[in-house]
Amino acid sequence: MRIVAGLARLPAVSMLTGLALTVFAATAAAQVPEIRFARQFSMGYLQFNVMEKHRLLEKHAKAAGIPEVKVVWATFNSPAAMNDALLSGSIDIVSGGVPGLLTIWARTHGTANAVKGIAAFSSQPILLNTRNPNIKSITDFSDKDKIALPAVKVSVQAMMLQMAAAKQWGQANFARLDPLTVGMSPPDATIALLSDASEITSVFSVPPFQYQQLEKPGIHTVLTSTEVFGGPHTFTVAWTAAQFRDKNPALYKALVAAFQEATDMLNEDVKPAAQYWIDDVKSKLTVEKVAAIASGKDVKWTMVPESTVKYAEFMHAVGSIKLKPASWKDLFFPEIHGLSGS
């Protein structure tokens, strides 16, 4: 009887064992780390294109003892939207202009989920182009002119326009041109500028769209960001929250290593990355054209932050951020503090 009873219990034991195995498998699957990237439309994020194409994060994660990692890529147009996604936990790694980083750095400084930069992508100029022949400088803009840029007030282009206004009319008038600005994605802004019927007469854009605009007769450059800054400056950066870095130390180190390898690959030959970008955004530009822009004389693909404190000083002076960093190292996590940034 005891034997029969024991045999009678076997199916139940098997069911429990099967259930345990199922739970174990589900738990193991859930433990596969995930990293979610956000980028924008411009060519300022070629390292991400290279990382995605060559699975560099997966490569360095495996070398760090992480056999599998789920990588998700998303495209945004507004740094404000990306920062909201970062703080909500729906995105892990954000990329954009330096003002976007400064805004969220100041907002979260001293909190448990403080946000800092990972590294820079590049230093390169951005151009304010117009089809209005009467506009030779920013002093020629009238209420009838509309200036398209990726995001009003918070994008790097918006801040460059404010810096130019402050230089021209005094710091108290830094926002003088803000009412003329309209938030549009770079592709849509380019289409609008090239259309004589659009109310958009000027665009503060990004590469390669800014150079594509200049190919049409009658469109000329009013202002460059290097003129505003008085020299070269970081164009785009990547940032994340301290919680992500702290909870994923090995994965974060793998991210930095992948970023460095992608940067090295760009400096060896930018043409493959140009094709990756074309494929990603479905651009009709030729790979030769994109590669020529990405390897221009004023373009540097580097993780080294350049003139980021100058951005911060202006934003603090006009009240856009309430906190000013003592140095560029305050803005970035320690993994790149050995670089000669500014």
Side-chain angles (χ1 to χ4, degrees):
M1 292 294 293
R2 284 195 299 271
I3 293 175
V4 173
L7 288 174
R9 285 198 299 270
L10 281 177
V13 172
S14 297
M15 287 176 64
L16 288 173
T17 302
L19 179 60
L21 289 173
T22 300
V23 171
F24 177 81
T27 302
Q31 289 175 344
V32 173
E34 181 179 65
I35 183 167
R36 299 157 297 177
F37 290 87
R39 57 190 169 192
Q40 298 186 58
F41 288 97
S42 86
M43 280 171 47
Y45 314 96
L46 288 188
Q47 283 95 330
F48 278 0
N49 295 101
V50 174
M51 286 167 61
E52 180 181 17
K53 182 68 175 181
H54 292 275
R55 296 175 61 85
L56 295 183
L57 179 58
E58 293 90 332
K59 167 189 169 181
H60 286 279
K62 190 172 184 179
I66 306 171
E68 186 179 354
V69 58
K70 182 180 179 182
V71 182
V72 179
W73 299 91
T75 301
F76 285 70
N77 182 52
S78 166
M82 288 195 296
N83 278 339
D84 288 343
L86 179 64
L87 293 179
S88 72
S90 58
I91 288 292
D92 302 306
I93 309 297
V94 168
S95 56
V98 178
L101 166 60
L102 284 165
T103 299
I104 195 167
W105 170 82
R107 179 180 170 187
T108 61
H109 183 78
T111 69
N113 202 27
V115 173
K116 289 188 178 183
I118 300 167
F121 286 91
S122 69
S123 290
Q124 54 182 305
I126 49 178
L127 313 179
L128 172 58
N129 295 331
T130 185
R131 69 164 184 258
N132 187 339
N134 298 319
I135 299 176
K136 307 299 182 184
S137 73
I138 63 169
T139 61
D140 297 322
F141 282 108
S142 71
D143 293 340
K144 296 180 180 179
D145 294 297
K146 294 298 181 183
I147 306 169
L149 36 75
V152 175
K153 294 184 181 296
V154 296
S155 64
V156 62
Q157 292 84 353
M159 199 215 69
M160 288 289 180
L161 200 59
Q162 290 177 345
M163 290 182 74
K167 186 180 293 186
Q168 179 65 45
W169 295 295
Q171 188 169 291
N173 295 299
F174 78 97
R176 179 167 173 167
L177 298 175
D178 283 5
L180 305 183
T181 60
V182 178
M184 295 181 73
S185 72
D188 289 340
T190 298
I191 293 171
L193 183 65
L194 299 180
S195 170
D196 293 334
S198 171
E199 66 172 357
I200 301 298
T201 61
S202 305
V203 176
F204 215 156
S205 196
V206 294
F209 303 101
Q210 58 192 18
Y211 301 108
Q212 186 180 10
Q213 296 159 11
L214 291 171
E215 292 177 354
K216 181 177 180 178
I219 293 180
H220 65 277
T221 298
V222 179
L223 183 73
T224 72
S225 59
T226 51
E227 291 172 347
V228 175
F229 255 68
H233 58 86
T234 289
F235 170 40
T236 44
V237 290
W239 60 91
T240 190
Q243 286 186 0
F244 175 82
R245 175 177 172 270
D246 294 343
K247 289 180 181 178
N248 305 277
L251 185 58
Y252 186 83
K253 289 180 180 178
L255 168 64
V256 175
F259 208 122
Q260 182 63 67
E261 183 174 359
T263 303
D264 292 341
M265 292 173 70
L266 283 175
N267 284 307
E268 289 173 7
D269 185 4
V270 78
K271 191 171 182 179
Q275 186 63 59
Y276 305 154
W277 179 84
I278 289 171
D279 295 341
D280 183 58
V281 303
K282 307 295 188 295
S283 173
K284 295 181 180 180
L285 294 174
T286 66
V287 66
E288 289 77 16
K289 178 68 174 178
V290 174
I293 293 170
S295 58
K297 65 180 180 67
D298 296 322
V299 178
K300 290 186 292 184
W301 296 102
T302 176
M303 293 172 67
V304 181
E306 187 171 19
S307 296
T308 54
V309 173
K310 193 168 185 177
Y311 282 97
E313 289 173 344
F314 174 78
M315 293 180 70
H316 182 260
V318 300
S320 297
I321 56 175
K322 296 181 179 179
L323 187 67
K324 185 173 70 171
S327 80
W328 71 273
K329 292 181 181 180
D330 289 346
L331 300 173
F332 290 84
F333 286 115
E335 282 76 8
I336 66 163
H337 284 186
L339 302 178
S340 55
S342 61

